[in-house]
Structures are given as structure tokens and as C-alpha cells.
Amino acid sequence: MADKHVDLRRIDLNLLVAFEVLVTERSVTRAATRLSVGQSAMSSTLARLRKLLGDPVLVKDGRGLVATPLAESLLTPVRDILGNIEQVLSQRDNFDPTTDARTFSVLVTNYHLTYTFLLPLLARLDVEAPRVRLHIEPTGDDFADRLRRHEVDLLITPRELFPDHRDLPHRALFSDGLVVAVDRDHPEIGDEITYEQFCSLPYIATWMGQHPSLSELQLDHLGVPRNVEVTTEFGIACFLLQGTRLITVVHERLANMVADTANLRLLRPPIEGLQPVTEIMVWTNRTDGDAAHRWLRQRLLELAAEVM
């Protein structure tokens, strides 16, 4: 912008919203979809932004678009401005869960949390907040970026998986211990499992998406050898044990919930230093003061207190 002083009365502040989405998505089509407008309307908005800033904002790079240096430098300040505006307005908000409608998008890094933790909440929402909906998604490697881009309302993840959570508003929900799970009729294991048995018996290694699970990372860090014969997703391992000599390490809450169905015996790990996993919820400053968001966070804290 050429002028040192800009008359805000002449500017449609909705352009800031469009700017943030356009520069984030690097696509007129995807930006139009996110803002629920037509592509031609989004193109017109981009033209207005170019005129306002005296800058192309987005330029072609091969088959795609990239942000100009000016647009990149403005993205964080614009996000902060939008967050501050939302926070100011939300402080005046009231939210009545019995009558108000709201949909929250929640990223869950351990999909079994939907079963062990969020399922009871879903049942209660049907009674306590009939017009509140949860859109629960599994995460990918970009979960932190999606949260910071405000594409989701809340992230639930193990604290150990997201060390940068300290830079954002967050609260601990509960800790979940780790147990060894085996078939209830395992021919070689009674009420305890020895370290030698743990290291030598056929083992199911668990992964979360494209990465080893936190239990596997801990075992690697502690230098515990395993006789790995099967590798699978974390939430599936419990159901592969029945009728086999296989063993695995799983979260205690999940194991307790499926023990009868999967015919499991749950044992204390014979490993010194194996730590429980702490689940946290993380959000952004943009939604910190929103009344409905505060209500959801409080409801999750209350539910977590019940399961601890």
C-alpha cells in the first residue's frame, strides 16, 4: 500500500478473511470452497486484494500458485488480527448448549480415543446439547499446521507427540498407562510375564499412521529387544492376539474396554522406565475466548476427570 495512512472506512475488512484463506490455500478454487463462494467471486476478491495491496498476492509457479514475499510477510499479522477480532467479539457471546447450534471439528491423533474417550461425550451431547455436533477426524503429519491455520477447532493428542504444544493454549486431560496384552489362554504366560519372555515371544509392533507408536518409541529408547513378527495399526493389535502366542503393548484404557471381546489377559510390563501417555487438548488464541469453545473444553475436562 503506497499511503502511509489507510482509511479503514474505505476497506471491506472481509478482504482480510479472504486474504488469509487465499494465501493459506494457494488456490482460488480451494479458497472459494472454504468460504462457500463461487470461483468467479473468489477471483474478483483476489483482484480487489491486488489493487488494495499493490501486489499480485499469488503468482503462477508451474501448475500451481505461490504467495509473493509481501503476501507471505502479511499472513501472520493478518491471522493475528482476525484472531483478536474473534476473541473480542466472542467475549460478548453467550452459549446455551440446550438450544444453540454449533459444529466443532476435532482432530484426534489416536483414533482409539474416539472409542475410549469421545464416545461417552457423543452419547451425552445427544441429551445435553442436541444441536451441537462433533466432526471427528484422524490426523496426518500436518496436524499442527492444520490447527494453526484454524482449519480445526481442537486437537487431542499425546503430549509426547506434540512438544510444541507449549506455544498454544492447552490443557492436560488424563494419563493412560501401558500394559502387555496376550491371549487369555496363552500357553506360556500366567499372571506375570518375565523380561525374557517379553523379549523372546512373537511380538506385534504398533504404528500410528506412518510412524511407530509412542509405546514402540519408548521401548526403542529403553533398548528393549522384541521378536517382531507382525506390524499393524495401534488400535488393531488387541484383536490379533486371540489363539496365538503373540504379545503386544497397548494403552490400558483401550485394553480394558476390549479385554472380554478380544479374550485378553492384561499384564504389568516387566520393563523399568516405561511411562504412561498423557493426552492433552490444544487450541489456538483465536478460539480461546469463544463461549461455545470454552463450553466444549470444560465438558471434556469434566469427562476426563471422571475417567482418571
Side-chain angles (χ1 to χ4, degrees), residues 183 186-189 200-203 229 241 243-247:
D183 180 67
H186 196 289
E188 299 166 54
I189 299 176
S200 61
L201 284 168
Y203 181 82
E229 289 196 0
L241 298 170
T244 75
R245 298 174 60 246
L246 291 162
I247 66 173

Side-chain angles (χ1 to χ4, degrees), residues 165-180:
H165 70 273
R166 298 178 184 86
D167 299 332
L168 295 165
H170 62 276
R171 289 287 301 273
L173 292 170
F174 60 89
S175 292
D176 199 357
L178 297 173
V179 296
V180 177

Side-chain angles (χ1 to χ4, degrees), residues 90-283:
S90 66
Q91 287 175 351
R92 300 181 181 181
D93 257 351
N94 293 314
F95 178 72
D96 184 350
T98 63
T99 58
D100 291 348
R102 184 71 177 265
T103 298
F104 297 99
S105 55
V106 181
L107 280 184
V108 180
T109 51
N110 289 339
Y111 85 89
H112 78 272
L113 282 174
T114 302
Y115 179 57
T116 61
F117 180 59
L118 293 179
L119 185 59
L121 176 64
L122 293 174
R124 296 181 189 189
L125 288 182
D126 194 44
V127 176
E128 300 173 6
R131 301 185 67 193
V132 171
R133 300 288 181 268
L134 293 187
H135 180 64
I136 301 170
E137 303 179 48
T139 62
D141 292 340
D142 63 343
F143 65 87
D145 290 335
R146 292 191 65 194
L147 180 66
R148 290 190 175 100
R149 292 197 301 262
H150 310 295
E151 294 178 10
V152 295
D153 296 301
L154 195 68
L155 168 69
I156 299 178
T157 182
R159 180 175 59 196
E160 298 79 4
L161 195 63
F162 186 23
D164 291 340
H165 70 273
R166 298 178 184 86
D167 299 332
L168 295 165
H170 62 276
R171 289 287 301 273
L173 292 170
F174 60 89
S175 292
D176 199 357
L178 297 173
V179 296
V180 177
V182 305
D183 180 67
R184 191 169 290 167
D185 302 314
H186 196 289
E188 299 166 54
I189 299 176
D191 294 333
E192 295 182 351
I193 181 172
T194 67
Y195 182 81
E196 291 72 21
Q197 286 175 317
F198 183 88
C199 297
S200 61
L201 284 168
Y203 181 82
I204 300 180
T206 56
W207 283 58
M208 294 168 54
Q210 301 299 314
H211 305 283
S213 67
L214 289 172
S215 57
E216 300 301 326
L217 292 175
Q218 284 200 61
L219 291 169
D220 287 342
H221 179 72
L222 294 169
V224 179
R226 281 93 77 203
N227 179 18
V228 177
E229 289 196 0
V230 180
T231 301
T232 189
E233 281 289 331
F234 185 84
I236 299 175
C238 286
F239 299 97
L240 303 180
L241 298 170
Q242 190 167 5
T244 75
R245 298 174 60 246
L246 291 162
I247 66 173
T248 194
V249 175
V250 292
H251 287 191
E252 188 171 8
R253 284 178 50 76
L254 174 63
N256 282 327
M257 292 190 74
V258 303
D260 289 339
T261 302
N263 197 45
L264 300 181
R265 180 181 301 164
L266 307 179
L267 307 167
R268 179 179 177 180
I271 300 157
E272 292 292 334
L274 197 60
Q275 299 297 314
V277 174
T278 299
E279 301 290 348
I280 61 174
M281 59 177 173
V282 190
W283 61 99

